[in-house]
Every structure is written in C-alpha cells, then in structure tokens.
Amino acid sequence: MLNNHNNNKDKNLWRGRLSESLGTETAQFISSLKEDARIVEIDIDVVEAHNLMLHKQGIITEAELAKILTGLEQARADWRAGKLKLDPKQIDIHPIIEKYVIDLYGIEVGGKTHCGKSRNDQVMTDVLIYLRNQGLGLSRQLVELVQVFLDMAKEHTETVMPGYTHTQHAQSTTLAHYLLAYIDVFLRDLERLGQIYERWNKNPLGACAFGGTTFNIDRKYTAGLLGFDGILENTIDVVSNRDFALEYAAALAIIAASLSRIAEDLVVWSTYEFNMLELADNLTDTSSAMPQKKNPCPIEMVRGKAAGVFSALMNLLIMLKGIPTGYNKDLQETKPPLWQAIDTVGASINIIKLGMGTLKVNEKRMLELTRKNHITAIDLAEFLVMETGLSFREAHFLVGGLVQAAIKDGLQLNQLPAKRFKMICRDILDRELEIDEAKFKEVTDPKLSIMRRQGIGGPAPVETRRMLKDRQAKLAEIEAALKEKENKLAKAQGYFRQQVSELRLK
Ligand code: ARG
C-alpha cells in the first residue's frame, strides 16, 4: 500500500502509531506554521545539506539524491511563486517539505530524506540560521545608526546644552558628548551581537531526536555546507536548550531599552517647554481634534514597543524554567517572541535613525537653558578647593549657600556681585574669602566650563573630537568583522549551491 503513489497523497505518513487524525482545532492549537512561514527556504536548505551528506556517506544513492534535490528545488520555486501552500492539516513546515518530495518521487525516494535527523535538531538548525541572518542584518542597521550619530556629533562638538541628572540641571555639556554616550552603547550592542554570532554559529544538525543516530553521518560536512563555523556537539544539549534564544532576546531587549531612552529624550526635548529640538514633520502626527498638534507618535512608539521586546525575554525565561530536559513541544514557543522582538528592534532602529538624521537642533534655546539654574555650581566649588585650600565639603557647603542667596536675590549664581560673595563667605565660613570678579565670571560660565573639562571622556571639544575619531575607527573595525562574516557565509553558500546544481537531475 505504501508503495502506491496516489494512496500516499492523503495518508498522514507521520502517524502510523495512531489511528485517528488530529482535529482541526487541535492541529491549529499545536501548529507553528505561522512562524514557520519565515523559515521555509532555510528548512529546504537544511534538508538539502543533510541529503548531500547522506549521499556522501553512502546512505542514499546518487540517483536518489538527484531526485531529492530536484524535488526540494521545485518546492522552493513553488514557494517563491506562491504555489506551495502551508497545509493547515500539517502542524509545522518540516513534514510539508518532506511530503512534497514524497508526492513527487514516491516514498521509496522521498521517504529517505529524514534518515539520521529529526525535527528536533532540524528546527534548532533552522532557527539558528534564521537568527544568524537576522543578527547580521540588525548589525548592519546598527552600523548605519552609529554613523548617523557620528555625523551629527561631528557637527555639534561646540553645541552647548544642559546635562541632566534626576531630570534636573546637572552640568553643562555638548550635544556631541550626549551623542557619543549612545555611540558607545551601540558599539557595545554591536560587539554583543558579534559575540552571540560567534558562540552560536554552530551546527545542531545530526543530533537527531535526542541521542544521536546509528547512521554514519558527517556533521562537519553539513556544518560546512550551511556556513556554520563548528558543531554544537552534545546531542541532548542541541535538542533541549534554548539559551541561545535567551541571549539573543536579552541582546535585543538591551538595544530596545537604549532606543526607548533616546526616544524619551527626544519626546521631552521637543516639548514646547524645552524647545531644544524639533522633529521633522514626517516623523510626527497630528490630532483629529486639536489642529495645532505636532505629536511625536513614531518616537513614542519606539518607547512603547520596547515593552514587547522585554516581554519576549520574559516569555522565553518563563517558558523554559519548568520544562524537563530533552525536546518538549513547549520549545516551539521559542519562535513567536523572538520573531516579534526582531521585527520590533529592526523597525525601531530605523525610526531613531530617521529621527536623528532629520532633527532640527535649537542651539540658541539649548544655550539659553544652560545659562540658567546655576549649572556651574560644581565648577565654582572645585575652583575654590584649588584656589583657596578649602576642602571639597566646605566648598560644596559654601556654594550651596551662594546658590540659595542667588535664588533669594533673583539672580543666577554667576551674576552674584563680588561684595555679596564676600559677605556670604564670612557668614557661612566665618572667614574672609575674596575672588576676582572676572575670574568668578569665567569659572561660572557654562561654555568655558565645558572647555575646562578635558579629561578622558569629558565634554571638552578636544576630547569629544578625539573620541569621535576613535569611535569612527572602532566602527570601521566592527564593520570589517561583519563583512568578513558575510563573505564567509557567501562563500559557503556558493559551494553549497554549486553542489546542489551539480547533483540534481539534469
Ligand atoms: N515545530 C516544532 C518546533 O518548532 C518542530 C519540532 C517538533 N518536534 C517534535 N518532537 N514535535 O519546535
């Protein structure tokens, strides 16, 4: 019966043990077809690589391989043409691809493709390849984002702005200094994605269902064909663990957290009250009721959607914590949160890139705000320590008193007359302190303050220019490493494709 082509078409060849089929509702409930739609071609690649290996090892004949490869390539062409439908009676992509070859060339040939593998190692292989490809794409996007930040920072090494802690004026800084902070964050994200790539670009295929296979397979060979740099060895580890997913989701969550904080800065700084920035019209929306509105909706959505990315990480942790070792169906739930997090982070990077690239900076307003609110109080305290021998605590206490007096007099700290300064020193310290008026003005000037903070990592233009040069070089290094990975994959892909076209039916 099984030999008869036509009969097999309707038989579920995966359910010999069972006499009833799954009901539609149950099949839908346990199905991963929606997520699998993204990995159809990867799955075809994996089956092809596996079968090239089976032939190399003498497990299938050249004639069988030729048919299998031809069938698989036809499945790929049908998929691209929209002709391969994901039959909802099947619960995932793997039997759909296997069945395609069986329907075409019979069970005697098509029924051999699964020797020495299982869906458990196969799905792991598919997902690692998908994540690897997406990781490279996200890295490229981050490289572009960092370049936008670098270009903007180069224009703004002297653009003075208030720096905040607790959302209160802290110290004066420059826009370049602010942007450089996030350049460093994103460079670390790039490093992290690179490390994840290196840790996980390893071949799970051939672990089979749990404990390996008695077929004499060659896992190194499939690793080479699929562009992996090594093998994920322990077969129990391969089918049981999803720590790669946790790591990947954590990396995405970290990126989302940073993008969300930038989004928050952009939202706040573009309010009427701050008025330091203005977003381009094509990144804002208006109100259906209030005609005057210019709402930063896409930027707010970067902030809002970060929640979904964090929940992906939580989702995976919670899904994993209670399941026993070995493959369990729960592991199928690795895909939906990861897919969602990847999509969100990719889109969010682009929105922030667009937002930054088209931002209007109100330098006048930034300077105006920096001149307010006694932002150079710490400069004065430090100056007094260096000039008068006061301890920092004494100087801090004294300047606190000076700020209080300035507020009472309706002045800024740097407007305090020398006479008043002297008097307050006498009151607070019980000691005479004099400071040259011009010197006082200089020390409390927010722009000059920036120039004086030339230490490593500080806002002085000479230092931010040094950092910019350094980070530009670092970005080039990261980009070169990325290119190397892409080239290596393309080379593996080239060899793999050539094998397929040489060995398929002529
Ligand atoms: N669709 C499954 C997943 O995504 C493939 C592996 C199924 N394995 C199994 N033993 N049911 O995880």
Side-chain angles (χ1 to χ4, degrees):
M1 268 273 261
L2 278 180
N3 289 337
N4 179 327
H5 260 199
N6 293 331
N7 267 350
N8 294 338
K9 289 228 175 205
D10 301 315
K11 213 181 229 97
N12 191 327
L13 296 166
W14 290 260
R15 290 174 69 85
R17 160 75 172 80
L18 308 165
S19 38
E20 273 182 79
S21 54
L22 282 172
T24 314
E25 217 180 290
T26 313
Q28 254 174 31
F29 183 69
I30 67 167
S31 171
S32 64
L33 282 178
K34 193 167 145 253
E35 284 73 37
D36 289 352
R38 296 191 185 198
I39 51 172
V40 172
E41 289 203 44
I42 294 177
D43 197 64
I44 293 172
D45 286 345
V46 169
V47 182
E48 284 179 346
H50 186 74
N51 280 273
L52 282 166
M53 180 278 292
L54 290 179
H55 166 249
K56 184 183 84 66
Q57 296 299 95
I59 300 166
I60 58 173
T61 67
E62 189 164 334
E64 287 164 344
L65 175 68
K67 285 184 176 165
I68 288 168
L69 292 177
T70 306
L72 289 168
E73 281 307 297
Q74 193 173 315
R76 189 195 304 278
D78 274 4
W79 172 248
R80 287 188 184 173
K83 285 195 276 180
L84 176 70
K85 299 281 178 245
L86 302 185
D87 176 5
K89 283 203 285 308
Q90 298 288 0
I91 51 171
D92 56 33
I93 184 61
H94 321 293
I96 292 180
I97 301 300
E98 191 180 337
K99 186 170 185 305
Y100 189 98
V101 183
I102 291 176
D103 287 348
L104 208 59
Y105 293 113
I107 196 163
E108 310 79 2
V109 176
K112 289 192 175 175
T113 63
H114 210 51
C115 292
K117 73 174 166 65
S118 114
R119 282 182 300 164
N120 300 351
D121 57 339
Q122 190 169 334
V123 73
M124 181 77 178
T125 313
D126 290 2
V127 171
L128 280 188
I129 291 175
Y130 179 70
L131 293 185
R132 164 183 90 188
N133 298 344
Q134 294 299 312
L136 290 174
L138 286 172
S139 298
R140 278 259 160 241
Q141 283 183 272
L142 280 176
V143 166
E144 285 171 22
L145 181 71
V146 171
Q147 193 57 59
V148 168
F149 273 56
L150 282 166
D151 292 342
M152 191 171 176
K154 283 171 198 162
E155 300 294 311
H156 290 287
T157 53
E158 312 222 354
T159 304
V160 176
M161 68 181 275
Y164 298 89
T165 64
H166 310 267
T167 330
Q168 303 283 334
H169 275 199
Q171 289 180 278
S172 57
T173 188
T174 66
L175 187 53
H177 195 211
Y178 168 83
L179 293 166
L180 270 161
Y182 280 104
I183 288 169
D184 282 0
V185 168
F186 295 131
L187 288 174
R188 284 194 292 273
D189 286 321
L190 277 161
E191 251 171 42
R192 196 160 17 245
L193 288 177
Q195 287 159 354
I196 290 177
Y197 183 102
E198 277 150 35
R199 191 155 32 256
W200 291 106
N201 192 31
K202 306 233 167 83
N203 188 17
L205 196 63
C208 208
F210 173 86
T213 170
T214 54
F215 285 110
N216 175 30
I217 61 170
D218 182 349
R219 299 185 65 195
K220 285 190 182 148
Y221 184 69
T222 48
L225 289 174
L226 294 170
F228 289 116
D229 296 317
I231 294 180
L232 217 50
E233 293 185 355
N234 187 308
T235 62
I236 300 177
D237 176 37
V238 167
V239 300
S240 299
N241 284 313
R242 290 293 184 272
D243 51 320
F244 75 86
L246 295 178
E247 223 183 318
Y248 204 94
L252 294 175
I254 294 169
I255 298 171
S258 308
L259 294 173
S260 180
R261 295 182 68 189
I262 293 172
E264 169 67 3
D265 287 341
L266 294 180
V267 168
V268 172
W269 293 346
S270 60
T271 55
Y272 178 82
E273 286 73 13
F274 275 81
N275 189 26
M276 299 205 294
L277 305 171
E278 190 183 346
L279 289 160
D281 281 3
N282 65 7
L283 268 179
T284 53
D285 203 3
T286 185
S287 153
S288 63
M290 301 164 282
Q292 86 284 9
K293 294 284 276 176
K294 179 168 178 179
N295 296 329
C297 297
I299 306 294
E300 291 173 274
M301 287 304 275
V302 169
R303 192 178 57 188
K305 281 173 186 269
V309 182
F310 304 158
S311 76
L313 175 59
M314 285 306 125
N315 186 333
L316 290 167
L317 282 165
I318 296 163
M319 182 271 284
L320 284 168
K321 81 171 268 291
I323 54 177
T325 305
Y327 179 84
N328 297 272
K329 185 74 176 176
D330 318 42
L331 293 174
Q332 181 168 286
E333 289 295 289
T334 310
K335 286 179 274 186
L338 273 179
W339 282 198
Q340 187 218 343
I342 287 171
D343 291 350
T344 304
V345 170
S348 301
I349 294 174
N350 284 348
I351 293 288
I352 292 297
K353 190 179 90 181
L354 202 65
M356 281 299 184
T358 54
L359 206 58
K360 248 203 250 150
V361 179
N362 187 346
E363 301 185 16
K364 226 176 104 206
R365 174 67 176 161
M366 282 181 164
L367 184 61
E368 181 191 333
L369 285 173
T370 314
R371 291 204 183 285
K372 297 277 160 61
N373 220 359
H374 328 286
I375 207 164
T376 49
I378 188 173
D379 296 76
L380 181 59
E382 288 179 354
F383 172 78
L384 291 171
V385 169
M386 289 185 268
E387 290 296 306
T388 68
L390 286 179
S391 75
F392 182 75
R393 192 50 57 219
E394 288 171 303
H396 181 280
F397 191 75
L398 170 65
V399 176
L402 292 169
V403 169
Q404 213 178 54
I407 292 170
K408 216 189 274 160
D409 298 354
L411 298 172
Q412 290 298 315
L413 178 64
N414 59 358
Q415 295 169 329
L416 216 60
K419 234 174 57 207
R420 187 97 168 93
F421 175 87
K422 220 172 137 182
M423 218 174 77
I424 296 165
C425 286
R426 204 179 306 125
D427 275 3
I428 293 181
L429 295 179
D430 206 15
R431 150 176 180 190
E432 291 294 328
L433 261 190
E434 257 183 276
I435 180 167
D436 173 69
E437 185 109 30
K439 194 77 202 164
F440 181 77
K441 284 259 172 306
E442 190 193 310
V443 169
T444 51
D445 182 275
K447 246 180 164 170
L448 295 175
S449 156
I450 289 167
M451 301 296 172
R452 282 191 302 267
R453 279 175 279 140
Q454 298 184 355
I456 294 179
V462 331
E463 176 57 6
T464 50
R465 281 193 206 107
R466 181 199 65 80
M467 284 196 274
L468 281 170
K469 230 167 114 196
D470 179 79
R471 303 317 191 256
Q472 185 70 70
K474 186 128 198 245
L475 184 66
E477 251 172 55
I478 287 175
E479 209 184 342
L482 198 58
K483 188 102 217 102
E484 203 183 304
K485 288 186 178 109
E486 287 165 346
N487 287 344
K488 204 167 163 201
L489 278 185
K491 210 169 139 206
Q493 181 75 5
Y495 174 74
F496 179 25
R497 287 292 113 218
Q498 182 208 331
Q499 289 298 98
V500 171
S501 68
E502 262 173 35
L503 291 163
R504 60 184 290 189
L505 292 177
K506 295 292 174 295

